[in-house]
Amino acid sequence: MTDHPRIPLAGVIGHPIAHSRSPVLHGYWLRRYGLKGHYIPIDIAPSDLADLTRTLPRLGFVGVNVTIPHKEAILHIADIVTDRAALIGAANTLIFRKDGKIHADNTDGSGFIANLRQNAPNWMPTSGPAVVLGAGGAARAVVAALIEVGVPEIRLANRTRARADALRSDFGAKVHVQEWVQVGNLLDDAATVVNTTSLGMTGKPELSVPLDRLNPRALVTDLVYTPLKTQFLIEAEATGCTVVDGLGMLLHQAAPGFERWFGIRPDVDDATRKAVLQG
Ligand code: NAP
């Protein structure tokens, strides 16, 4: 019997999973670099998460991305959790190691920063405070990343105050929690403004923030990328600010996983953006 080398499989696990753009993105990179491999959306119900995740390596999977609602729970299933995933309290990338161990990492924060560096090369995160709206899972990755690149102060506001307070106690004194209803007052002298809430997404209410105190030198970004340019970004751009949409974060957070699973660091460029937008 001939021993054929296995074609590597990767994918994204979530529940539901039909909305995910990741299969289009990884499929595009596989074709672009002429690699053997497949990237598959896998719907796993929360009650099956541990069993089915542990089965995947036996089916030929070399790793998976993890999305809602499994990003936190997966940390209890992984054997090795990176420091940044532990600090954030969530993982989005698993590597199934040859020794059978499941390695969990979080690349959302590095993807967030890479997107801003690529699309706003003059952005100086150290030049002033950052305002972060929201305190969910994505906000935790954003706050960790902003601290890592040297932002001097983070003004954090969330509808549910307790969630913002928890983030303050996990990330320390650079984080200053403010009232959600006073968001407009936090914008004075901010160098960076980030929407990490799901407001503004197609089908959700708009994020409504008075922008009259926004510094025109501020960089404004939104993690929401459907629509690509949210109403919040349209309004911020009208005040003269540089704005960056959230699609680049999705592309950049995916690159490290693709490299580990398929062996090539993929380019994040206009062709990649176009492929995902058209897919
Ligand atoms: P999450 O953990 O569910 O957090 C949702 C956040 O939105 C919380 O801060 C929540 O506030 C706030 N929110 C929801 N509805 C609200 C409302 N009606 N009024 C005020 N605040 C509201 O979700 P997540 O994982 O952090 O994701 C947040 C967004 O980021 C989603 O749109 C997601 O698609 C996007 N995202 C994008 C990328 C990317 O690559 N671009 C990566 C990750 C996430 P409460 O705490 O008060 O509920």
Side-chain angles (χ1 to χ4, degrees):
M1 196 174 86
T2 324
D3 193 13
H4 293 291
R6 268 189 162 180
I7 293 178
L9 302 178
V12 54
I13 59 173
H15 185 69
I17 200 61
H19 67 283
S20 174
R21 307 306 295 152
S22 297
V24 172
L25 171 61
H26 288 268
Y28 165 74
W29 278 333
L30 284 166
R31 284 193 306 281
R32 174 167 167 171
Y33 297 106
L35 298 171
K36 281 200 163 43
H38 299 283
Y39 185 100
I40 300 155
I42 308 165
D43 193 324
I44 298 185
S47 56
D48 292 330
L49 184 63
D51 279 354
L52 292 186
T53 303
R54 291 202 184 96
T55 306
L56 291 173
R58 290 180 12 227
L59 294 172
F61 280 81
V62 289
V64 286
N65 288 122
V66 185
T67 189
I68 292 168
H70 302 319
K71 284 171 124 178
E72 289 87 15
I74 205 73
L75 293 185
H76 304 292
I77 293 161
D79 303 295
I80 300 159
V81 175
T82 61
D83 288 348
R84 60 185 177 178
L87 179 66
I88 293 164
N92 69 345
T93 307
L94 301 184
I95 292 153
F96 300 141
R97 297 182 1 163
K98 291 213 169 81
D99 62 6
K101 293 202 164 25
I102 299 178
H103 177 275
D105 194 8
N106 193 314
T107 63
D108 275 340
S110 58
F112 169 74
I113 297 293
N115 182 35
L116 298 187
R117 297 251 189 248
Q118 182 176 42
N119 293 298
N122 295 328
W123 175 55
M124 293 236 299
T126 53
S127 67
V131 173
V132 175
L133 309 177
R140 295 180 69 89
V142 164
V143 165
L146 288 172
I147 290 173
E148 206 177 311
V149 297
V151 165
E153 176 194 341
I154 295 173
R155 299 171 185 162
L156 179 71
N158 191 50
R159 176 182 62 175
T160 308
R161 166 94 192 204
R163 238 174 153 187
D165 288 336
L167 219 145
R168 158 78 178 75
S169 74
D170 289 345
F171 288 91
K174 275 196 176 179
V175 178
H176 298 262
V177 176
Q178 310 286 346
E179 289 303 322
W180 177 245
V181 287
Q182 287 176 4
V183 162
N185 299 339
L186 312 180
L187 300 175
D188 285 341
D189 71 1
T192 313
V193 181
V194 191
N195 175 37
T196 78
T197 75
S198 46
L199 292 175
M201 211 169 154
T202 308
K204 298 250 179 178
E206 291 297 345
L207 171 64
S208 168
V209 178
L211 296 181
D212 40 306
R213 295 170 79 161
L214 187 62
N215 180 343
R217 286 188 302 278
L219 169 82
V220 182
T221 185
D222 201 326
L223 266 53
V224 171
Y225 55 84
T226 48
L228 193 53
K229 197 174 262 182
T230 58
Q231 192 57 32
F232 177 59
L233 290 188
I234 291 169
E235 287 169 19
E237 195 167 39
T239 73
C241 289
T242 301
V243 302
V244 176
D245 67 60
L247 183 62
M249 175 175 169
L250 178 81
L251 309 181
H252 281 285
Q253 63 77 31
F258 185 91
E259 182 177 15
R260 289 294 295 267
W261 304 324
F262 300 116
I264 284 186
R265 180 76 176 194
D267 277 328
V268 174
D269 54 12
D270 282 346
T272 310
R273 258 180 93 85
K274 217 165 135 197
V276 172
L277 287 172
Q278 285 173 348

